[in-house]
């Protein structure tokens, strides 16, 4: 059976090899793109090409613009040494072939190993950009996942196939939280896209944050900030294609993309070089579709498939949640988690601002009693937050407002319960929250926590 499959794959690969192939010539170089003549009849947008430099190694590039007269390509790296008349050929192998043995490995967006060891290719090469499962045949959300984090296991549940955004400024703990999720969440496989990080951060993330145990069930796809925008953009697609490979095997996959902002910025560089106007606060109009089509590929699978649960991180400068990328993502995802610098500065990690965060898997992901507890805790926290300035300044007199009194009473108990659960693990998290409410004198919803 396996032999027959191999033979069929081999036949398909042979059939793709062309006996004759057109050759283009470099006709010019402007900014960070090259124009190529002679390929107008056959090149398509997104095709990979290879520039044979007369001096130096061949240079991979991607078709970003077409016209009657010439084709514009953007190289993957610096194009020193490219000369007029250099030969350009279309590379037909623009696919990656993930394999189960990629677990524990670090690869680049072209599917080449970055850890110095040989990498086995899978039997079935797949395109980088695939269609999501058909909407009508997609399953609903799966069961709630154990995340190893109190806040997610109580107030902001994450379920199988859910896609959430992680919004925060720089240095507030996005990458650290992603690392922790990669280590602890219940999933068969974790695929991590590190897009536009500094080179030093990749090593640090893999060694310190992820650790050997986290890495053993993960595939890390990375393109660092110094690499070409094409590679940085492709990093997200490659990681998604790897996640789809495991999803198609029926696995429960967690995809972590850090960050979508860098993906969008890479696309902006490519699109502007290809002549698109930056109309959306500096971003090209195509950015919405690009982000939406990426996110849509994650989520619950179709029949016989697993799921891709996904966390996309977004850098929000100065907590501007209305900037274009954050705004687009909030619209397409099934929840958003906001990290707050003020909370991080107090030394609380993960610095999740529960009141600003939303999980759209609720109310379905929790029992009636749990939903009641969540609503009650949210209300108490929100009343406390709204009046915090007044309370801290000593301007509030106890007894003036029943709601504020209740929030004041509940706050230390809730804070203590959260910290305790955080330090000691999440067993019976809901019961701990209920206990905190009871201690605060609140009427606690009856019923089983369902966990
Ligand atoms: N769970 C944590 N415990 C302690 N410190 C943390 C934690 N998460 C983040 N930090 C601190 O925040 C810094 C920035 O975190 P990082 O995840 O790199 O942020 P971001 O990815 O948002 O830029 C870390 O270097 C560390 O000092
Ligand atoms: Mg980071």
């Amino acid at each position: 059976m396996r032999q027959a499959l191999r033979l069929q794959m081999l036949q398909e690969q042979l059939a793709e090899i062309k006996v004759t192939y057109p050759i283009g010539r470099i006709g010019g170089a402007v900014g960070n793109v090259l124009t190529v003549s002679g390929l107008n009849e056959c090149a398509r947008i997104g095709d990979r090409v290879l520039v044979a430099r007369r001096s130096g190694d061949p240079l991979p590039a991607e078709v970003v613009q077409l016209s009657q007269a010439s084709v514009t390509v953007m190289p993957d790296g610096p194009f020193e040494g490219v000369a007029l008349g250099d030969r350009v050929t279309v590379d037909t192998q623009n696919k990656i072939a993930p394999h189960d043995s990629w677990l524990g490995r670090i690869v680049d967006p072209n599917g080449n190993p970055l850890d110095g060891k040989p990498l086995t290719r899978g039997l079935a090469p797949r395109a980088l950009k695939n269609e999501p499962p058909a909407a009508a045949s997609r399953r609903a959300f799966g069961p709630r996942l154990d995340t190893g984090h109190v806040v997610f296991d109580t107030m902001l549940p994450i379920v199988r196939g859910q896609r959430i955004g992680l919004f925060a400024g720089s240095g507030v703990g996005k990458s650290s939280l992603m690392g922790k999720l990669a280590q602890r969440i219940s999933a068969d496989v974790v695929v991590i896209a590190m897009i536009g990080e500094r080179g030093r951060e990749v090593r640090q993330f893999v060694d310190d944050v992820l650790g050997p145990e986290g890495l053993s069930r993960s595939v890390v796809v990375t393109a660092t900030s110094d690499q070409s925008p094409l590679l940085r953009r492709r990093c997200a697609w490659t990681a998604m294609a790897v996640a789809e490979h495991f999803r198609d095997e029926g696995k429960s996959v967690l995809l972590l993309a850090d960050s979508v902002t860098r993906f969008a910025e890479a696309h902006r560089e490519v699109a502007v070089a290809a002549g698109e106007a930056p109309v959306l606060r500096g971003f090209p109009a195509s950015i919405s579709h690009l982000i939406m089509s990426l996110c849509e590929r994650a989520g619950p699978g179709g029949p016989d498939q697993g799921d891709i649960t996904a966390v996309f991180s977004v850098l929000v400068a100065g907590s501007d949640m209305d900037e274009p990328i954050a705004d687009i993502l909030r619209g397409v995802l099934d929840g958003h988690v906001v990290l707050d610098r003020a909370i991080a500065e107090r030394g609380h990690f993960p610095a999740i601002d529960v009141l600003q965060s939303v999980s759209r898997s609720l109310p379905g992901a929790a029992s009636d009693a749990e939903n009641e507890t969540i609503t009650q805790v949210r209300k108490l926290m929100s009343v406390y937050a709204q009046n915090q300035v007044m309370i801290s300044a000593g301007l509030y007199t106890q007894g003036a407002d029943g709601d504020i009194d209740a929030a004041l009473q509940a706050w230390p108990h809730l804070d203590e319960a959260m910290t305790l659960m955080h330090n000691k693990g999440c067993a019976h998290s809901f019961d701990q929250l209920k206990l905190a409410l009871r201690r605060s004198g609140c009427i606690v919803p009856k019923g089983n926590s369902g966990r």
Side-chain angles (χ1 to χ4, degrees):
M1 181 63 199
R2 206 168 159 76
Q3 293 289 347
L5 189 67
R6 269 176 191 276
L7 200 64
Q8 190 194 341
M9 300 278 184
L10 211 57
Q11 279 169 340
E12 281 172 15
Q13 283 175 14
L14 281 173
E16 276 187 21
I17 296 175
K18 296 201 173 66
V19 197
T20 59
Y21 53 93
I23 293 174
R25 299 277 177 189
I26 293 289
V30 188
N32 52 357
V33 292
L34 301 167
T35 47
V36 180
S37 57
L39 292 181
N40 340 21
E41 297 285 309
C42 65
R44 297 161 304 179
I45 289 285
D47 271 355
R48 305 282 297 151
V49 298
L50 218 61
V51 182
R53 282 185 280 202
R54 273 168 282 177
S55 54
D57 295 335
L59 178 68
E62 188 172 312
V63 177
V64 293
Q65 194 184 12
L66 300 173
S67 74
Q68 289 285 355
S70 64
V71 170
T72 306
V73 302
M74 193 173 196
D76 275 2
F79 51 87
E80 267 76 35
V82 172
L84 287 178
D86 277 352
R87 290 154 59 107
V88 183
T89 48
V90 178
D91 180 3
T92 51
Q93 303 290 314
N94 185 20
K95 287 182 173 176
I96 58 152
H99 188 261
D100 292 358
S101 67
W102 285 23
L103 288 175
R105 305 297 304 274
I106 309 173
V107 298
D108 76 4
N110 294 325
N112 298 314
L114 286 175
D115 46 13
K117 291 178 276 180
L119 189 74
T120 311
R121 315 267 162 198
L123 286 173
R126 51 170 66 233
L128 295 186
K129 286 192 254 176
N130 298 299
E131 291 297 318
S137 68
R138 268 191 135 162
R139 280 194 305 274
F141 282 152
R144 205 152 97 190
L145 294 172
D146 275 324
T147 63
H149 279 92
V150 179
V151 180
F152 293 123
D153 287 357
T154 53
M155 306 290 289
L156 300 167
I158 303 180
V159 298
R160 249 179 97 147
Q162 189 173 356
R163 299 157 305 169
I164 61 168
L166 191 59
F167 297 76
S170 63
V172 184
K174 293 183 297 299
S175 306
S176 308
L177 178 54
M178 288 212 164
K180 292 266 160 46
L181 285 174
Q183 281 174 338
R184 300 193 198 160
I185 206 167
S186 50
D188 300 324
V189 171
V190 181
V191 181
I192 303 165
M194 298 187 71
I195 311 160
E197 296 275 344
R198 283 157 286 183
R200 173 184 62 78
E201 283 177 316
V202 174
R203 202 63 261 171
Q204 190 194 3
F205 180 85
V206 171
D207 290 346
D208 303 342
V209 183
L210 200 55
E213 221 171 288
L215 182 63
S216 66
R217 60 168 188 164
S218 308
V219 182
V220 180
V221 186
T222 175
T224 48
S225 53
D226 55 313
Q227 289 182 299
S228 94
L230 282 175
L231 280 178
R232 279 181 271 139
R233 191 175 64 161
R234 204 176 312 140
C235 184
W237 292 327
T238 301
M240 190 61 84
V242 174
E244 285 166 344
H245 163 82
F246 288 106
R247 177 204 61 196
D248 292 352
E249 289 182 345
K251 303 238 164 71
S252 166
V253 183
L254 172 71
L255 176 87
L256 301 169
D258 190 16
S259 72
V260 175
T261 307
R262 302 276 179 252
F263 169 70
E265 286 169 356
H267 175 70
R268 172 170 62 189
E269 281 184 56
V270 177
V272 170
E276 202 181 332
V279 289
L280 210 66
R281 283 219 240 163
F283 284 97
S286 55
I287 196 75
S288 311
H289 178 250
L290 191 89
I291 291 180
M292 286 183 199
S293 56
L294 177 75
C295 295
E296 201 48 36
R297 288 167 65 183
D304 305 325
Q305 289 178 330
D307 311 277
I308 303 178
T309 311
V311 182
F312 299 95
S313 84
V314 188
L315 190 69
V316 282
S319 305
D320 178 10
M321 294 289 286
D322 293 330
E323 59 94 29
I325 309 305
D327 201 36
I328 296 167
L329 266 171
R330 259 189 312 164
V332 290
L333 297 179
D334 315 307
H336 56 269
V337 172
V338 180
L339 301 186
D340 183 57
R341 193 178 296 280
I343 299 176
E345 278 165 3
R346 273 189 266 134
H348 284 272
F349 289 103
I352 298 171
D353 184 341
V354 176
L355 293 176
Q356 292 233 43
S357 309
V358 173
S359 170
R360 290 193 194 159
S361 60
L362 285 175
S367 68
D368 290 347
E370 286 171 345
N371 275 310
E372 260 186 73
T373 308
I374 292 171
T375 314
Q376 209 170 1
V377 173
R378 261 188 185 276
K379 186 177 169 210
L380 289 167
M381 288 175 83
S382 137
V383 171
Y384 186 84
Q386 278 166 13
N387 297 286
Q388 197 175 14
V389 176
M390 190 167 67
I391 295 165
S392 322
L395 296 173
Y396 179 70
T397 323
Q398 197 138 6
D401 183 299
D403 283 349
I404 304 181
D405 283 345
L408 259 177
Q409 181 87 11
W411 182 258
H413 294 289
L414 288 175
D415 202 37
E416 187 196 8
M418 287 280 190
T419 317
L420 194 77
M421 284 187 282
H422 196 70
N423 295 337
K424 295 208 170 162
C426 311
H428 313 299
S429 300
F430 263 107
D431 296 337
Q432 297 281 353
L433 274 189
K434 280 199 206 172
L435 187 66
L437 288 176
R438 208 170 287 129
R439 282 190 182 141
S440 329
C442 300
I443 298 158
V444 178
K446 288 203 174 59
N448 197 319
S449 74
R451 298 275 278 176

